[in-house]
Amino acid sequence: MSSILRTFGNAFPESKQPRLWLSLATRGLLVAALFLLVGCETETTVKNTSHTFRTVVIDAGHGGHDMGTHSRWGGTEKMAALDTALRLEPKLRAAGFNTILTRNNDYFIPLGGRTRISNSQDNAIFISLHYNEGPNREAHGVETYYRSKYARELAERIEGSITSLPGVASRGVKTANFWVLRHNEYPAVLVEGGFFSNPAEASRCANPGYREALANAIAAAIIAERGPLQQQAPATPTLAATTPAATQSPAPIPATR
């Protein structure tokens, strides 16, 4: 889902455009309130595990009723993100990392649940996987987001690794205030793997071969960031202690990060 269109799924929209019916005074109050809220979240709340982590929390965006973006060329973002997460997870396990999946099937995990899963780990990082959209069908490329200064190097490694793939363009490494980034106690990165609104790129994103290459590139960047761990025999992947029944919302919620 495009960074222009996504919303928090809580009190305030994450869109860059204010609601038209709000008065100027109300808008001013909202801006002031958001400034205060963001200002309260200092970098000291994030643990610098960027070079010590042994656990990687892999978050497949959306799920269940929340499809994310979708198109006739790319299918649904929720399933592409899940497939990418399931390809990434065994590669990291094989390199010796503990792995946690926020979801391993097509069900919805609220944003707060995703960050709680991450924050309950020891010595971890958090990788959220998404695909993009935009009003311009010619928009294309991969972009990687971070918020904490401790996640910047990892974001740059991931962006560089993915965009070294043949034909993959870079839209850059950017800061963002997405929920899963700003409420994480560990270095957190959100990856947009390509545009579903671009027919050619969406077709590539729908190709399992591309998603395998994408997972390989992300894994290589994570391993390079931490340094190699002792190889271990593949184990059963760990799924966070949540169930679809406990986490699904009874009513649709706008696509979120």
Side-chain angles (χ1 to χ4, degrees):
M1 174 64 79
S2 168
S3 59
I4 297 173
L5 300 178
R6 54 178 79 99
T7 56
F8 282 148
N10 58 74
F12 304 114
E14 192 157 337
S15 167
K16 295 178 182 177
Q17 297 298 325
R19 297 185 182 185
L20 296 177
W21 52 265
L22 289 175
S23 67
L24 290 175
T26 305
R27 291 178 194 176
L29 289 173
L30 276 175
V31 171
L34 286 172
F35 179 81
L36 289 173
L37 286 172
V38 172
C40 291
E41 296 178 76
T42 65
E43 293 295 345
T44 59
T45 64
V46 179
K47 303 167 187 174
N48 185 9
T49 56
S50 56
H51 293 288
T52 64
F53 65 91
R54 300 191 69 88
T55 296
V56 182
V57 179
I58 304 168
D59 175 47
H62 307 282
H65 64 262
D66 180 3
M67 292 192 300
T69 187
H70 59 91
S71 72
R72 64 177 180 271
W73 311 287
T76 62
E77 180 184 4
K78 67 174 184 177
M79 297 309 295
L82 177 62
D83 181 71
T84 308
L86 293 177
R87 293 174 185 275
L88 174 61
E89 189 276 332
K91 302 178 194 307
L92 294 175
R93 269 193 297 122
F97 293 97
N98 301 317
T99 54
I100 303 291
L101 294 164
T102 58
R103 67 182 180 97
N104 68 347
N105 214 321
D106 183 20
Y107 51 85
F108 179 71
I109 303 290
L111 296 180
R114 296 169 194 257
T115 51
R116 281 193 295 274
I117 289 167
S118 179
N119 295 341
S120 67
Q121 307 306 316
D122 292 322
N123 199 16
I125 60 169
F126 178 92
I127 308 295
S128 190
L129 302 173
H130 292 263
Y131 289 84
N132 221 333
E133 72 171 357
N136 181 0
R137 285 191 178 183
E138 295 183 1
H140 66 285
V142 171
E143 52 193 13
T144 306
Y145 291 92
Y146 72 98
R147 184 172 186 271
S148 165
K149 63 184 179 183
Y150 302 133
R152 178 176 179 175
E153 183 180 73
L154 176 60
E156 290 173 344
R157 283 188 188 276
I158 290 174
E159 179 77 6
S161 185
I162 295 174
T163 56
S164 69
L165 297 173
V168 179
S170 175
R171 293 176 62 86
V173 175
K174 307 171 184 179
T175 58
N177 205 31
F178 304 137
W179 178 283
V180 295
L181 302 184
R182 78 178 190 274
H183 287 282
N184 229 301
E185 295 177 7
Y186 290 110
V189 169
L190 187 146
V191 180
E192 296 277 10
F195 277 78
F196 273 30
S197 50
N198 179 308
E201 189 155 278
S203 297
R204 178 170 61 189
C205 292
N207 187 324
Y210 172 71
R211 295 198 295 265
E212 178 72 11
L214 186 68
N216 276 328
I218 295 171
I222 291 171
I223 293 167
E225 178 73 4
R226 171 62 173 84
L229 297 181
Q230 182 176 355
Q231 297 285 314
Q232 63 183 24
T236 302
T238 302
L239 179 66
T242 57
T243 63
T247 56
Q248 285 182 349
S249 173
I253 297 175
T256 58
R257 292 293 187 267

